[in-house]
Amino acid sequence: MTETVSGKALQKWRTWAITLANNNNVDPYEVDWLLQGLTTLTNTTLTLETYLTQQSISIKVSLSALTEKWQQRISDHTPVQYLTGETPWRDLTLTVTPDVLIPRPETELIIDIVQQLVNESPIKEQLLSGHWADVGTGSGAIALSLAKTFPHTSIHAIDISKAALTVAKQNAKKNNITQNLHFHQGSWLTPLDSLKESSSKQSSSKQFLTGIVSNPPYIPSKTVLTLDPKITNHEPHLALDGGPDGLQAINTLIQTSIHYLIPGGLWLIELMTGQAQTVSTLLKLQGSYTHITIHPDLSGRDRFVSARKSF
């Protein structure tokens, strides 16, 4: 139930919350993230404080409940995105719960890289109308963006977590992206075993995917426990923990993807800084990939690796 609060009352609360943030080494800008998620105020309105003269501002919770949420952020390190229940990502608004990893801004670039790779591909037309898989879809961020960017494709969103798929399905409906989006529960690509490329001459062939995209778990197990408490204590370790060296999930995708990708099909993942060269080497050693390329994020850090399945 939506409530209202005056601009003066909200300013008093905001001043208190910012002071509490500064006293606890929390970025005070997170106060405004919380307010933007729970009120009708924008970043500009908050920065310029033009809301001060407003007599009635819509807010999703009471001021006392807002105070409880901010104290959760301070004392329990609960991420603001979980407190508001949603986060913006590219041109989407995504529901997020502790069942899914919070989509990061750096991951947004993966969609731009996909577009570039498609335009450069010798099988561009097939890529624009084929089947794609988002492995470990979580909130559905990548799958939804792929489905929106390539409306004539079929996007298969896969996750081993039933709870995560529930969130992803909610986001598909929330953003009105359902026509070319399919959800599958299971480990890695195995839920797609029953699907075959209709034009395949061998009925037993699994090779029907034109592209595989993933933001898999890539953080070494021991490192997960040393991350910021708001990550370690709240985000699902299933989506973070990549095994002893952080490469367990990635190597699984390298070895299994070739059985699903058509010749010329695209393979693209996100990874941790420092892993790109190793992953490139693993792709070369596998022997079925070409055009192996490392892509930096907007900060210049090696963040993604792409490849094509050889013809």
Side-chain angles (χ1 to χ4, degrees), residues 13-301:
W13 183 91
R14 182 170 177 252
T15 300
W16 166 80
I18 289 174
T19 300
L20 193 62
N22 286 325
N23 291 340
N24 288 273
N25 296 316
V26 172
D27 189 340
Y29 189 68
E30 290 193 29
V31 174
D32 287 356
W33 290 354
L34 182 64
L35 290 175
Q36 288 173 65
L38 296 175
T39 72
T40 54
L41 300 178
T42 65
N43 179 50
T44 301
T45 304
L46 286 162
T47 301
L48 299 179
E49 297 187 339
T50 54
Y51 65 91
L52 284 173
T53 58
Q54 294 184 37
Q55 296 301 312
S56 180
I57 299 170
S58 294
I59 184 170
K60 295 179 182 178
V61 297
S62 64
L63 274 182
S64 61
L66 185 65
T67 297
E68 289 179 9
K69 284 182 177 292
W70 188 242
Q71 288 174 331
Q72 276 184 272
R73 172 66 188 95
I74 299 299
S75 61
D76 299 336
H77 306 284
T78 306
V80 169
Q81 294 91 331
Y82 290 156
L83 295 174
T84 63
E86 64 181 28
T87 189
W89 196 81
R90 288 183 69 91
D91 55 352
L92 306 172
T93 298
L94 300 173
T95 293
V96 288
T97 74
D99 293 313
V100 299
L101 197 69
I102 297 169
R104 267 53 174 186
E106 56 264 29
T107 306
E108 295 183 8
L109 190 59
I110 203 168
I111 304 301
D112 299 312
I113 295 171
V114 170
Q115 289 179 290
Q116 176 189 343
L117 294 172
V118 168
N119 287 330
E120 296 172 349
S121 173
I123 60 165
K124 178 179 178 179
E125 296 307 315
Q126 286 178 271
L127 294 173
L128 290 173
S129 59
H131 292 261
W132 289 72
D134 171 26
V135 187
T137 194
S139 66
I142 293 174
L144 267 66
S145 282
L146 287 174
K148 188 173 183 179
T149 304
F150 304 113
H152 301 296
T153 61
S154 292
I155 307 298
H156 302 275
I158 306 166
D159 207 292
I160 197 170
S161 168
K162 183 178 181 180
L165 282 176
T166 297
V167 175
K169 290 175 183 177
Q170 290 174 353
N171 282 324
K173 292 180 180 178
K174 184 175 189 174
N175 290 275
N176 195 29
I177 306 172
T178 57
Q179 188 173 357
N180 60 330
L181 195 54
H182 313 277
F183 296 94
H184 310 270
Q185 184 185 357
S187 178
W188 306 114
L189 291 160
T190 54
L192 303 184
D193 284 354
S194 62
L195 299 176
K196 307 288 187 295
E197 184 184 20
S198 60
S199 61
S200 175
K201 295 181 180 179
Q202 297 179 356
S203 60
S204 62
S205 173
K206 299 177 187 175
Q207 297 173 21
F208 74 100
L209 290 178
T210 50
I212 294 173
V213 182
S214 181
N215 180 12
Y218 53 69
I219 301 174
S221 301
K222 290 183 178 180
T223 304
V224 171
L225 302 177
T226 67
L227 299 174
D228 188 308
K230 68 180 180 181
I231 299 174
T232 301
N233 297 342
H234 296 280
E235 299 202 55
H237 286 205
L238 184 65
L240 296 167
D241 192 337
D245 61 357
L247 298 172
Q248 185 174 315
I250 294 173
N251 197 45
T252 296
L253 284 172
I254 290 173
Q255 301 303 326
T256 59
S257 294
I258 57 168
H259 301 299
Y260 296 83
L261 281 172
I262 66 171
L266 294 181
W267 187 93
L268 173 63
I269 65 160
E270 180 175 334
L271 37 66
M272 190 170 75
T273 301
Q275 294 177 332
Q277 290 296 339
T278 301
V279 172
S280 296
T281 299
L282 290 173
L283 285 163
K284 292 174 184 177
L285 291 174
Q286 202 290 323
S288 299
Y289 298 95
T290 65
H291 295 78
I292 299 166
T293 307
I294 296 171
H295 306 267
D297 61 18
L298 295 177
S299 299
R301 295 171 294 186

